Structures are given as structure tokens and as C-alpha cells.
Amino acid sequence: MEQKKKKIFDVSLFKRLLQYIKPYRTVFVISLFCVAGLALFGAFRPYVLKEAIDVKIANKEYNGFVLYMFVMLALLILEVISQLLFIYYASWLGQSVVKDIRVKLFKHMLKFKMTYFDKSSVGVLITRAVTDMERIADIFGQGLFMIFSDILKMAVVAGFMAFINLKLSLIVFIAMPIILFATKIFQKYMKRAFEDVRTEVSNLNSFVQERVTGMKILQLFTREATEYKKFKAINERHKKGWLKTVWYNSIFFPVAEFVSSFTMAMVILVGGYSVVDVSGSTTLGDLISFTMFIPMLFRPLYQIANKFNTLQMGMVAADRVFKVLDTDSNIDDAGTVTANHFEGHIAFKDVRFSYVKDEEVLKGISFNVNSGETVAIVGATGAGKSTIINLLNRFYEINSGSIEIDGTDIKEMTLSSLRNQIAVVLQDVFLFADTIVNNITLNNDYITEEDVIEAAKAIGIHQFISSLPGGYHYNVKERGVMLSSGQRQLISFLRAYVTNPSILILDEATSSVDSYSEQLIQDATDKITKGRTSIVIAHRLATIQQADKIIVMDGGEIVEIGTHKSLLEKESGYYKNLYEVQFLKSEAI
């Protein structure tokens, strides 16, 4: 890794990036022709001016002089047209390539295991998908082609200079290694500086995203001053990263400009003596053309460093994006069985699982859920209840054992068909900044607004939704902030119900709602669970007394299984103890 970081230019990474140009070969070729036009048409103008001076002006022959001027004008127009086409097509190519990479990146992220998101910063992922992509686009619009254009222009200009006057050309060529050496050093340090900048940009994005999302917590615990100080520190590091690039620029460009100006002075000095000296080999046209050629040769040379910086920033961004693309964190979707409908028999067989290696959360649990049963899972926080739900949906891969539905291992089923048959209502409801109907259907074309309304009527929440401004088209804003927690839970419940799942899972669905919403959800639960396999996870034991079976968990193991009545009959039973503690608390309240 360290060796890779020391590279000024990663060829293998660049080759990989160029693979995305293949669908746009025609535009790429057009851009190259425009680049060639920029170099050639620009370099020809000083030569035409030299000929006009030496052939016409020096000999005081004005006949035909206007033709030279028209040729220069034509070359200028062609150069302008080439530049116009280049800017458009190079930018178009860059944005098209970025579009393809961004789509591929997002598609890849959609398939990640939950483990990846558990360990990754949301702000960093946003930086990869948005900011870094724009830097990649700059590779084509401002980096790659411009560098190629400048190199070609310098080659053509150097050729013209050597052809016109070798003596003056040698003066210029002697100064070029100085610029080249300075450029090489400049590139080396700028590469490091831009890596630091990108790191600090990611840190800044991540910090701001998390604090904005958790602003309520910060204000509730009066942590504004502390977080402000942290932000200032991160912002200061970000500023220092950019100032480092500014410092390198402030050193390099004045040095390059001084060398260019000094070279120009030497050419004028030597060339001027030669022009005045009748026996000299230098003409006035040579001298004037060289005053045009030198900026055309030197300015691209040290501007290449600046454009190389753009290229380097894009390459650093590409490296970060490709690291995400190369992350192998996908759930194995090699199943061939399409689950169109489940009878609903679920079997966990000696299932072991750990989020962190060697720290088992589930320690070889086994249980069965019969078709059409309502099974409750209870236990203290951290007992492994929600983990069972995550594994049933294959958000994570189990360490050992097997999970079967209707006698088929869920690994043999396609992920989409498996998850389409399981509906989950979570304790922490997430709603998008969209209308209620879109939050319920999630833009599924197979679920119409009429289906949503009928489902809402069936479970008794149509009146609540209709009372909102705009009804089903009410925009709940980001994370559903325009609704109460109970209302969000009702929307989540309807989202699950409208899909007509084979298996329903309620994960603490009534733990944080008001009594009115809880009654609505309880009524809806009775309707939706009827004749359907259901798993209910609850802390409040009063809500699961009618369950067909109750699984009691502790420390990742199943300690008791039975009905509410049978579990209460066990002397010193775990469930009985939990129930009595909650009952006493309720009595006290």
C-alpha cells in the first residue's frame, strides 16, 4: 500500500478508468481530433506571422500581405472552433463516464451486507458517490485531454522553433530542463497534498452529516459548544490541507514564470543583436515569432503541472471509488429457487452467528414455527431477538447451521423472492422525504393507490391518513419528521400489510407509540396475522399473551418455549419472572 501511495501516477488505475470510455469511443476520438486541432492551429499562427514579416514587410511588398492576415484569421477561427468542440465533448465524455461509474457504485452498494453499513460512515459513502465522482469527471474535462493537448502543442512548437532558428531554439531548450525538474518536484508534493485534502473532505462530510442527523440529541444534551469545537478542529485541518496546495502553487508558478521571462529576455537579447548585425542569421520575423512561441512552449509546460493536479485529484478520487467497488461484502445470491409463496413453516437448526468474530450472538439455537402460527420472541436487550429477524431476511450470513422455510434452505432461494415474501415492521421506522402513498408502495408499480386505500381501510387507519393535509399525498419530509412516532409506525405497518406477505414480522412494533396508535396497531395486527405465519418481538409481554408459542431468549440461547399460560406455570421460570416484574411495574404506575 505504501509503495502504491508513493507513485506519482498509477498506470494500472488509469487503465481501469479508461475501460469506462469504451461505450463512447466515437466521442473520445472526436475529442482527440479537437485536441490535435488546438495544438496545430495555434502553433501555425506564429509561423504565418514570421513569413508575413520576412517575405512582405521586410521587403516592403504589401501585395499579398492581406492574404497572410486572412490565413492567420482562419487559423484563429479553427482554433476557437476546436476549443469549443473540445470543451463540450470532453465534458460530455467525463459526465457520461461518471454516470456509468456512479450507477455501478450505487448498484454495488445496494447489495452490501448490513455489516458493511454497520462499520462504514454514511458521510464517507456520500463523498464517494457525489464529490469524488465530480473529481473523476474533471480527469476528462480538464486533465487528460488538456495534458495531451499541451504536450502535442509543445512538440509542434518545438519543431517549428528548431526549423526556424536553431540558435535561438537552443537558448529556449536549455531552460526547459529547469522547468521539467521543478514540475516533477511540484507533482510529487501536490499528490501528497491532495490525498490529505480528500481525506479531510471525507472527514468533514461525515462529521456534518452525523451531527445534522443527530441535532436533536446534541441540543437535548446541550453539546452544541463541544461539537462546535470539534467542527472547528476538523475544518482547520481541512483548511491546512488546502493551504498546503496553495503554498506549493505559490512557489512553483512564480519560479516557472521567472524562468520563462528570463528565457524570453535572453532570446530577445541574442536575437536582437543578430537582427541588427547584417551578417546575422536571425530575421525580424524569427524574433517576433519566437516571442509568440516561447509562451506557447513554456506556459503549457508549467500549466501541465496544474492540470496534472486535476488529474491527480481525479485519480485519488477514482482510487477511493474503486476501493468501494472492489469491496466484497455482498450476500451470496446464488440461489435458484424462486419463492412465489410460502406456506410459512420456519425452522432454525443449530444456528450460530456473530457480528464480531469470536463473539457469538446466537449460540446454536433451534426452533420451529408452524404454518399460520403467531410466535412471540421475548428476552432482555441483547438476547438476540432482532438478530433472528436479520438472519431470516439474510441481511447477514450465519456462521453455521441452517434456516429453512417450507423445508428449503433460504440460501437456495433468490434474495429478492425471499424478501418479497417477508414483511417487517421495525421499531425504528424510516420514512423517505416523499408522500405517504410513495412511502407505502416504495414506488412498486404493482401496488396502486387504490390498493393502498383499500388496505388502509381494512386495518382501520384510512381515517387517520385522510385527516392529514393532502391525505395520501401528504409529504412527510425527511425521515417522516412531520408525523408522530405512532403515526410513523402506522404507516410502516400499512407498508408491510399492502404487500400481502407470506410471513409477517413485528419487531417491537408498539414499543414507542401512544395508546391510541397502539390500539390501532393491535387491531390491525389481529387482522393481518390471521391465517399467516407471524413472528412478534416484544418487550411488553401484555401484547403477546395470545401468541401460539412464546420463545424466551437469554444471552443468545433459547431458555424456554411454551404458551403464555404454560410458561407462567413454571416455578422460577425466566418468562414468569419477566412477566411478574413488568406486572408489578404496571401496578406501581
Side-chain angles (χ1 to χ4, degrees):
M1 181 63 71
E2 288 301 318
Q3 187 177 2
K4 186 176 181 180
K5 282 187 177 181
K6 290 179 182 178
K7 291 181 180 179
I8 292 179
F9 188 79
D10 193 330
V11 177
S12 61
L13 178 65
F14 187 67
K15 285 181 179 179
R16 182 176 180 182
L17 191 60
L18 289 180
Q19 296 297 314
Y20 291 90
I21 293 179
K22 287 183 177 180
Y24 312 104
R25 290 188 186 93
T26 303
V27 176
F28 181 72
V29 172
I30 292 174
S31 299
L32 287 179
F33 273 109
C34 293
V35 164
L38 275 172
L40 295 173
F41 298 138
F44 262 105
R45 284 190 292 111
Y47 180 75
V48 173
L49 179 61
K50 166 204 158 26
E51 291 297 305
I53 292 172
D54 290 343
V55 175
K56 299 298 180 182
I57 295 178
N59 298 319
K60 297 184 179 181
E61 294 181 11
Y62 300 107
N63 185 25
F65 178 74
V66 175
L67 179 61
Y68 280 101
M69 296 301 101
F70 274 115
V71 171
M72 286 192 66
L73 179 61
L75 289 170
L76 180 60
I77 292 173
L78 288 172
E79 186 179 0
V80 169
I81 293 173
S82 297
Q83 188 169 25
L84 186 151
L85 294 175
F86 162 72
I87 291 173
Y88 176 78
Y89 282 113
S91 299
W92 186 94
L93 179 63
Q95 290 300 325
S96 298
V97 168
V98 161
K99 178 204 69 176
D100 294 343
I101 298 177
R102 184 182 282 126
V103 168
K104 185 176 181 179
L105 176 67
F106 188 72
K107 183 179 180 182
H108 188 61
M109 288 167 57
L110 285 174
K111 297 179 180 179
F112 279 160
K113 301 175 186 176
M114 289 298 107
T115 305
Y116 181 86
F117 297 105
D118 293 342
K119 297 177 180 179
S120 301
S121 164
V122 175
V124 170
L125 291 177
I126 291 173
T127 301
R128 300 293 173 267
V130 181
T131 309
D132 283 342
M133 289 297 177
E134 293 307 314
R135 301 289 76 78
I136 294 174
D138 290 341
I139 290 177
F140 302 96
Q142 302 174 33
L144 175 66
F145 290 115
M146 290 304 295
I147 290 174
F148 180 71
S149 174
D150 288 341
I151 291 174
L152 182 59
K153 181 180 287 187
M154 286 188 298
V156 174
V157 167
F160 270 112
M161 292 171 73
F163 174 75
I164 293 171
N165 192 306
L166 186 58
K167 182 173 67 174
L168 296 182
S169 299
L170 289 174
I171 297 173
V172 178
F173 296 159
I174 288 172
M176 288 185 67
I178 301 174
I179 299 288
L180 287 170
F181 178 75
T183 300
K184 185 177 180 180
I185 299 298
F186 179 63
Q187 291 168 355
K188 179 181 177 181
Y189 283 96
M190 286 298 285
K191 171 73 159 51
R192 295 176 185 172
F194 279 127
E195 285 178 347
D196 293 340
V197 167
R198 297 311 307 152
T199 299
E200 294 307 328
V201 167
S202 295
N203 292 339
L204 191 62
N205 285 347
S206 179
F207 184 90
V208 172
Q209 189 274 332
E210 288 180 349
R211 270 58 184 182
V212 170
T213 303
M215 188 60 69
K216 183 181 289 186
I217 298 298
L218 298 184
Q219 294 182 355
L220 280 172
F221 290 89
T222 63
R223 305 306 296 166
E224 297 95 329
T226 301
E227 296 303 317
Y228 174 68
K229 289 179 181 178
K230 288 182 180 179
F231 178 78
K232 284 183 67 177
I234 294 174
N235 204 34
E236 180 67 21
R237 292 199 302 270
H238 178 260
K239 183 195 76 172
K240 287 180 178 178
W242 274 111
L243 285 180
K244 193 181 291 184
T245 67
V246 173
W247 171 245
Y248 294 148
N249 277 293
S250 66
I251 294 174
F252 173 75
F253 285 103
V255 169
E257 194 65 42
F258 173 79
V259 174
S260 175
S261 299
F262 183 79
T263 304
M264 176 78 78
M266 293 303 297
V267 167
I268 293 174
L269 179 64
V270 175
Y273 275 117
S274 185
V275 170
V276 173
D277 187 354
V278 179
S279 61
S281 59
T282 302
T283 66
L284 182 61
D286 293 347
L287 189 59
I288 292 178
S289 64
F290 264 70
T291 60
M292 294 180 65
F293 276 133
I294 290 174
M296 294 175 68
L297 182 68
F298 277 43
R299 189 166 291 116
L301 185 61
Y302 59 75
Q303 282 185 347
I304 279 181
N306 199 27
K307 290 160 189 172
F308 198 86
N309 293 339
T310 301
L311 181 61
Q312 290 284 29
M313 287 186 70
M315 294 292 286
V316 170
D319 184 49
R320 295 175 186 272
V321 169
F322 286 144
K323 281 179 181 176
V324 179
L325 282 171
D326 292 338
T327 300
D328 185 15
S329 185
N330 295 354
I331 292 290
D332 181 20
D333 191 11
T336 57
V337 178
T338 301
N340 295 316
H341 178 73
F342 290 143
E343 291 298 323
H345 180 81
I346 302 171
F348 274 62
K349 299 181 178 180
D350 194 26
V351 174
R352 293 182 178 275
F353 172 75
S354 56
Y355 293 103
V356 180
K357 189 176 181 181
D358 298 327
E359 295 182 18
E360 282 192 335
V361 176
L362 297 183
K363 304 172 182 179
I365 66 168
S366 299
F367 66 88
N368 288 287
V369 180
N370 297 321
S371 176
E373 276 189 337
T374 296
V375 174
I377 303 177
V378 301
T381 300
K385 306 184 298 297
S386 296
T387 299
I388 290 176
I389 308 310
N390 288 331
L391 297 182
L392 187 60
N393 281 279
R394 288 197 70 199
F395 290 135
Y396 302 87
E397 296 283 21
I398 60 177
N399 297 347
S400 63
S402 66
I403 303 174
E404 297 179 358
I405 299 180
D406 296 344
T408 302
D409 194 312
I410 60 174
K411 289 184 178 180
E412 298 177 14
M413 305 175 189
T414 61
L415 272 177
S416 59
S417 66
L418 169 68
R419 292 172 180 171
N420 278 336
Q421 294 302 315
I422 302 175
V424 183
V425 179
L426 298 172
Q427 177 183 3
D428 183 19
V429 179
F430 186 93
L431 296 181
F432 296 94
D434 207 336
T435 62
I436 287 179
V437 67
N438 286 341
N439 267 290
I440 294 169
T441 65
L442 296 177
N443 297 304
N444 187 334
D445 295 333
Y446 295 101
I447 303 175
T448 65
E449 185 173 342
E450 289 71 27
D451 295 331
V452 174
I453 295 173
E454 288 302 314
K457 289 178 179 178
I459 64 174
I461 65 173
H462 172 69
Q463 185 176 355
F464 143 63
I465 297 176
S466 298
S467 66
L468 296 171
Y472 287 85
H473 294 277
Y474 178 62
N475 193 312
V476 300
K477 305 302 180 183
E478 187 174 359
R479 300 183 68 88
V481 294
M482 302 304 292
L483 302 176
S484 69
S485 59
Q487 291 172 328
R488 289 197 297 270
Q489 197 66 264
L490 289 170
I491 298 301
S492 177
F493 199 91
L494 181 55
R495 177 195 286 169
Y497 178 58
V498 77
T499 61
N500 191 28
S502 300
I503 298 172
L504 175 67
I505 297 170
L506 304 178
D507 187 358
E508 307 283 2
T510 61
S511 63
S512 59
V513 299
D514 55 81
S515 57
Y516 174 73
S517 298
E518 182 179 353
Q519 186 58 51
L520 286 176
I521 291 176
Q522 196 61 55
D523 294 342
T525 300
D526 295 339
K527 294 177 183 178
I528 192 173
T529 57
K530 189 174 182 180
R532 176 182 282 113
T533 301
S534 304
I535 297 177
V536 180
I537 296 176
H539 277 125
R540 299 165 67 178
L541 305 185
T543 62
I544 46 95
Q545 293 182 18
Q546 302 303 316
D548 298 307
K549 186 188 300 179
I550 298 174
I551 298 173
V552 186
M553 296 190 67
D554 182 42
E557 298 178 314
I558 296 175
V559 293
E560 292 176 350
I561 297 180
T563 63
H564 174 71
K565 183 178 180 180
S566 67
L567 291 174
L568 287 181
E569 292 174 352
K570 288 186 176 183
E571 286 296 328
S572 302
Y574 191 96
Y575 179 81
K576 183 179 181 181
N577 182 55
L578 283 176
Y579 183 78
E580 288 177 349
V581 170
Q582 285 197 10
F583 180 76
L584 289 174
K585 285 183 178 179
S586 298
E587 287 291 305
I589 294 173

